[in-house]
Amino acid sequence: MRHKALILTIVAVATATVTLAAATAFACQPVRVAPAQPAVTPATCESGEVLVMPADSTSITYTETGALTGPGSVVITGTAGGGFVLAPADGWQVAEDALTATFTVSLAGPLTGCAEDAGAPVTPAIAQATCTSGEVLAMPENTDDIVYTETGALIGPSRVVITATAQPGYVLEAANGWQVAAGSHQATFTVSLAGHLTLTCGKTTHHPHHSPPPATGSPLPETAFTL
């Protein structure tokens, strides 16, 4: 009887030990979790790209080495919390022990070639036609920001196209009469100039096909004109 009781006791203790060891081994298995992807805000004319760090959690904490605003490179390190290990994720280099991982980001600097506002092009002035001249277009004066050129005669009758071109690094604002696209560095202005006046100017009317009458007492000309 004593031998049977002893055997039963040993079997019970061994079974309990094995069950506890298995339960302990199962409870100690770490949870695999993948690190999050960082976000990058696009660059502007005033600022380079901006790195948005992933949010910390109980499973992973994140730290960075380098400036979060470009230009430059940033190395993000994700560290697993207690009871967790890191799983593979796009862009992340997971360490052999799966407790840390790194992610390297190259951030661009501010945008280049950004344009400043040159203002609106100036509307040209037009002088009225006279008996001896058509309308006259007065070109706007060039400035440090805008240069004006023309195609066509500045005295009517004619059709003139004025082109306003902003200097490099500048864009033009909209202006009445000017054809300019948003964000454009060039605009055009088209004007039709009238010719000289056709109404009778002054008191003297010139007849190009008639000879002036001879003075009183003067001999008639040898050649007669046919009216």
Side-chain angles (χ1 to χ4, degrees):
M1 293 295 292
R2 291 181 180 178
H3 291 293
K4 291 183 179 179
L6 179 60
I7 292 172
L8 290 175
T9 301
I10 294 173
V11 171
V13 171
T15 303
T17 301
V18 171
T19 302
L20 179 60
T24 303
F26 179 79
C28 290
Q29 288 295 322
V31 178
R32 287 164 60 86
V33 59
Q37 296 291 322
V40 177
T41 301
T44 66
C45 292
E46 292 76 30
S47 172
E49 292 180 320
V50 178
L51 178 68
V52 181
M53 291 284 292
D56 292 340
S57 65
T58 56
S59 56
I60 307 178
T61 55
Y62 300 92
T63 56
E64 78 281 353
T65 302
L68 296 181
T69 302
S73 294
V74 185
V75 177
I76 305 172
T77 301
T79 303
F84 295 90
V85 292
L86 301 179
D90 288 343
W92 287 90
Q93 300 295 320
V94 181
E96 185 175 354
D97 59 7
L99 296 179
T100 60
T102 57
F103 190 105
T104 303
V105 183
S106 294
L107 300 174
L111 297 177
T112 59
C114 293
E116 297 184 33
D117 188 359
V122 176
T123 300
I126 299 176
Q128 293 183 346
T130 66
C131 292
T132 58
S133 172
E135 291 180 320
V136 178
L137 179 68
M139 287 287 290
E141 293 185 3
N142 295 334
T143 67
D144 291 339
D145 302 333
I146 306 176
V147 174
Y148 299 91
T149 56
E150 79 281 352
T151 302
L154 298 180
I155 301 177
S158 67
R159 181 178 181 272
V160 186
V161 177
I162 304 172
T163 300
T165 303
Q167 296 285 14
Y170 290 83
V171 292
L172 299 171
E173 293 181 2
N176 188 33
W178 288 88
Q179 301 296 319
V180 54
S184 176
H185 72 287
Q186 200 167 69
T188 57
F189 187 101
T190 303
V191 58
S192 294
L193 300 175
H196 63 78
L197 299 176
T198 57
L199 298 177
T200 302
C201 294
K203 296 182 180 180
T204 302
T205 302
H206 178 60
H207 299 282
H209 299 296
H210 293 262
S211 297
T216 304
S218 299
L220 293 175
E222 295 181 0
T223 303
F225 287 87
T226 301
L227 300 180

